[in-house]
Amino acid sequence: MGRSKTRPPLRPGTMASVRRRRERDGRSRWHPAAGLRSVLSGRSVAGQVFVLHLVIVLLLVVAAVVALVLQVRRDSTQEARNRSLAVAQSFASAPGVVEALGSPDPTAVLQPHATAAREKANVDFIVVMNTDGIRYTHPKPDRIGRQFVGTIEPALAGEPVIEEIEGTIGELVQAVVPVEDADGTVVGLVSSGITTEHVGGAAENQLPLVLGAAAAALALATGGAALVSRRLLRQTHGLGPHEMTRMYEHHDAVLHSVREGVIIVDGDGTLMLANDEAHRLLGLPEDGEGRHVLDIGLDPGTADLLSSGRVATDEVHLVGDRLLAVNQRPTDRAGGPPGSVATVRDSTELRALSGRAEAARERLNMLYDAGVGIGTSLDVTRTAEELTELAVPRFADFVTVDLFESVLAGGHPDAAATLRRTAMTGVRGDAPLYPVGETIRFVESSPQGRSLTTGRAVLEPRLSDAPGWRAQDLERSGQVVEYGIHSLITVPLRAGTLVLGVVSFWRSEKPEPFDVEEQALAEELVARAAVSIDNARRYTREHSMAVTLQRSLLPRTLPEQTALEIAYRYLPAQAGVGGDWFDVLPLSGARVALVVGDVVGHGLHAAATMGRLRTAVHNFSALDLPPDELLALLDELVARIDQDEAQEEHSAPVTGATCLYAVYDPGSRHCSVARAGHPPPALVHPDGGVEFPDVPVGPPLGLGGLPFETADLELPEGSRLVLYTDGLVEDREHDIDVGLELLREALSRAGESPEDTCRAVLESRRPGRAGDDIALLVARTRALAADRIAEWPVPSDPAAVAEVRAAVTRKLAEWGLDELTFTTELILSELVTNAIRYGGAPIRVRMLHDRNLICEVYDSSSTSPHLRYATMTDEGGRGLFLVAQLAERWGTRYLPAGKVIWAEQPLPGHKGADEMS
């Protein structure tokens, strides 16, 4: 190793040191642990053989496991098909099944037998049903009487059906077979099903054998590789040709590439080696290697140090015009040959570069801090303040930010408009600069005006010599100079082609003026801040638009009604406008609908989607549909919206929309509730007890495929029904179960009024920065007094109309509504006559004395009358026209077994006072 062109041989000391080191480490003699380490390292031939064996074994194991899993899955599915079909056929042909299907109560006879047979046969369910698919038996009693989910048409034709479906309990196989009487007529169906995970089990028995074989193969591969490693270590003594070549090349490359001089001197003071940097720094002759260090023309102090071999640490020597730092250590401390190694570095160049490096490091740190510390919020003013706080006092003594007023509101900048001082930070607070909040119009000759006009930074090294700057405000500029501010840099805040404002950097403490390099740094700082300010401006604009849209879509006032006392709260998320919404909708018959919904996401799209869903609920509620049917229509609407928007490239589908719809009837105190992926309602009883009623949950809107279910609740008068969105009970700190428990505790401590309940719930939550919108709706129930309800059965005889009129007249006189007698008799006469003529028995008449006088006629027909104009020759067709003219509102409400035609009349002199008891 030296400066010659040919490569010198490796010094004997190198191999000796390697051997001694290996002897000290105990590696001169082969040891099983050493062979194993060599094998596992993967860098030797033995290690490569071992890796190859390992890959082959692993591939074989993976192939065996995959084949085993596929075989077990196929066997499990076939076994499930055979078992389900056998159980279904056995039960269908069991004695007494045909007689039980013809009995008055098949469920009472067949349910115990089906349960016993299911447990003995080890299947998941046995369902007996009629030919229409209505279940007589089921493991869950609440599913009895409902429609069977599956294919039954082939079984009705006498052929068994086996199908694989994805059920609520996992992948399952179910079979449907017919039940035939003596003459071969299909009188019922039997279905049996089992999940595939309950059959099989061969994999657990065969897998240990496969893994055991793999372990044995790995052990043999490891032992073989260790034997190969043993032989190689004995032959090469642990050092192969490639290793020796790499070691020499690495030593040579390192010595001649480092920026420090390296000198090796033996115990006699002979120079053994000097790299290129040592020759340059010490001025060594070309033939210096092999000569004594005292004879090669070195500085006497440096030569004495190198020949002495003593320890030296950063010892400075003057060699020519260079200050060299020398470090020297002996080489025989660890059993090496006698001599010393010295390193030499030029401290003169380091000292010259240290000042510039420190300044560059500070600027890089400032730019890094700007990237991290500016733009932490989407607030324009706060982002401007972060820029000023970063630059003072590290870069300037005072920093001001002036933005166009339209930018602060989220709009586009207007070059002709005034600016407003948005932020200012300084080393002192008494500087005579424009204060924060001041509106400013810079003249064209000022540095700020030139920056705004040209879009470039302006450097004024000496403000006292800048007449254009003084023209802005002679009095204030004189005060600024007298205060000691002497240098200025103005940089426009540019975001693309838009100029949002201007930033001014003022210097007073440091006597040197700003220079060109500092101007470049100022431009870089402002460029980074401009991106954040423009993002905040865009966010402010979009947020304002979304808030305006959302407020226009949410209900501003609640409609007048007497069935419920209602209070509500709406808290928008900190991240932006969301899609939470609620509504209160008066229905016919003094009933009231409550609805709460949530569209996942934030921004304009979520708010617009919320408005579309709210409008749809308004329209669907006018049809007086049950909650489950209304949600089904809403689900279909969302699916159609997704299909329409999927055709547009930049449209986003309505994903994650949920809804809860409840209808409360003050006459019966019944409440029907259905929900689509929404959190359950909370019910606070009059005694203060809190529960979450079991309302079946359906899928979120737009998914389709599954029906919605309605829960019927009976609410005592004075109960509080609490509806909310998931933002109230879910956040990043806890899941919904914890949130529901916290809500339960808050409701148990709340006052009786809905306002007190809303206040207690939100105070208990105390969100610092809510990540989602919160909609809260609390409704306390009222009941319509019994003396405000009148109901009569009506025989299907036209003569009964007169009796109804007489009863109505008496009840109106009792209620003090004699003024409505004529119109009420006429309305009910027409409605009852239509029910007798076109409807079906039974027929009932009901009158409700609420905010309005409500007349209802019920019949069992589902045919709804239609309003039309009768011609001169028609004998009928004018009844509903008269009803529409006399009543304030009228309509039809469908029931599971018939319909109700209703009409409302305003009370004389009534302004909507509370008529509930």
Side-chain angles (χ1 to χ4, degrees), residues 647-702:
Q647 300 175 0
E648 300 183 12
E649 181 179 356
H650 301 291
S651 296
V654 184
T655 58
T658 65
C659 184
L660 185 147
Y661 188 82
V663 177
Y664 174 69
D665 187 352
S668 62
R669 294 184 288 105
H670 278 84
C671 182
S672 300
V673 186
R675 59 187 178 124
H678 205 79
L683 178 61
V684 184
H685 294 278
D687 60 359
V690 182
E691 67 168 324
F692 293 94
D694 185 14
V695 179
V697 59
L701 298 176

Side-chain angles (χ1 to χ4, degrees), residues 501-539:
V502 63
V503 181
S504 302
F505 299 90
W506 313 80
R507 173 171 288 178
S508 64
E509 301 291 327
K510 189 176 180 180
E512 295 82 6
F514 285 119
D515 55 25
V516 176
E517 292 185 0
E518 290 171 321
Q519 176 184 339
L521 176 60
E523 291 176 346
E524 183 67 24
L525 286 175
V526 174
R528 300 195 178 197
V531 175
S532 300
I533 291 178
D534 187 55
N535 290 338
R537 178 189 67 86
R538 294 172 182 269
Y539 171 79

Side-chain angles (χ1 to χ4, degrees), residues 124-137:
D124 291 297
F125 65 84
I126 297 178
V127 175
V128 183
M129 68 198 87
N130 61 13
T131 55
D132 294 330
I134 303 302
R135 303 187 185 101
Y136 288 142
T137 68

Side-chain angles (χ1 to χ4, degrees), residues 114 139 142 201 210 266 361 465 553 628 726 798 901:
D142 60 339
V210 174
D266 65 6
R361 185 184 64 82
D465 300 335
L553 295 175
D628 56 339
D726 58 358
I901 302 178

Side-chain angles (χ1 to χ4, degrees), residues 2 51 203 228 273 476 538 577 631 711 824 901:
V51 171
V228 173
L273 182 142
R476 187 179 295 272
R538 294 172 182 269
V577 176
L631 289 182
T824 305
I901 302 178

Side-chain angles (χ1 to χ4, degrees), residues 78 280 290 419 439 441 460 466 523 568 583 664 681 685 775 790 810-811 890:
Q78 186 61 39
R280 185 182 71 86
L419 294 93
T439 57
R441 186 181 295 275
E460 290 288 356
E523 291 176 346
Y568 64 90
D583 226 327
Y664 174 69
H685 294 278
R810 290 192 298 271
K811 179 55 69 173
W890 76 280

Side-chain angles (χ1 to χ4, degrees), residues 492-746:
L493 270 163
R494 297 186 56 181
T497 59
L498 299 179
V499 178
L500 309 178
V502 63
V503 181
S504 302
F505 299 90
W506 313 80
R507 173 171 288 178
S508 64
E509 301 291 327
K510 189 176 180 180
E512 295 82 6
F514 285 119
D515 55 25
V516 176
E517 292 185 0
E518 290 171 321
Q519 176 184 339
L521 176 60
E523 291 176 346
E524 183 67 24
L525 286 175
V526 174
R528 300 195 178 197
V531 175
S532 300
I533 291 178
D534 187 55
N535 290 338
R537 178 189 67 86
R538 294 172 182 269
Y539 171 79
T540 302
R541 180 185 59 189
E542 294 182 3
H543 183 74
S544 299
M545 295 172 58
V547 167
T548 302
L549 174 62
Q550 185 183 42
R551 288 178 178 174
S552 66
L553 295 175
L554 288 174
R556 300 183 181 181
T557 58
L558 297 180
E560 295 183 356
Q561 49 82 32
T562 55
L564 298 168
E565 180 186 355
I566 295 177
Y568 64 90
R569 296 289 189 275
Y570 183 84
L571 299 180
Q574 295 291 336
V577 176
D580 291 17
W581 56 283
F582 63 91
D583 226 327
V584 179
L585 307 172
L587 303 177
S588 63
R591 298 171 305 125
V592 178
L594 302 175
V595 58
V596 174
D598 183 8
V599 177
V600 175
H602 297 89
L604 286 175
H605 182 264
T609 302
M610 175 265 290
R612 300 169 75 177
L613 296 183
R614 181 170 178 258
T615 302
V617 171
H618 271 262
N619 295 331
F620 293 151
S621 65
L623 302 176
D624 263 332
L625 298 173
D628 56 339
E629 295 184 17
L630 186 141
L631 289 182
L633 291 177
L634 200 63
D635 177 71
E636 184 179 353
L637 172 65
V638 173
R640 287 201 304 269
I641 293 175
D642 286 347
Q643 291 177 359
D644 295 340
E645 294 192 348
Q647 300 175 0
E648 300 183 12
E649 181 179 356
H650 301 291
S651 296
V654 184
T655 58
T658 65
C659 184
L660 185 147
Y661 188 82
V663 177
Y664 174 69
D665 187 352
S668 62
R669 294 184 288 105
H670 278 84
C671 182
S672 300
V673 186
R675 59 187 178 124
H678 205 79
L683 178 61
V684 184
H685 294 278
D687 60 359
V690 182
E691 67 168 324
F692 293 94
D694 185 14
V695 179
V697 59
L701 298 176
L703 298 183
L706 294 176
F708 299 98
E709 300 183 52
T710 299
D712 293 322
L713 310 176
E714 183 173 353
L715 306 182
E717 185 176 5
S719 302
R720 280 167 288 164
L721 189 64
V722 182
L723 310 181
Y724 52 91
T725 54
D726 58 358
L728 182 68
V729 295
E730 282 187 298
D731 57 28
R732 297 178 180 178
E733 298 179 358
H734 55 72
D735 57 15
I736 189 171
D737 294 333
V738 178
L740 292 176
E741 189 60 32
L742 295 176
L743 177 60
R744 183 196 301 272
E745 295 177 1

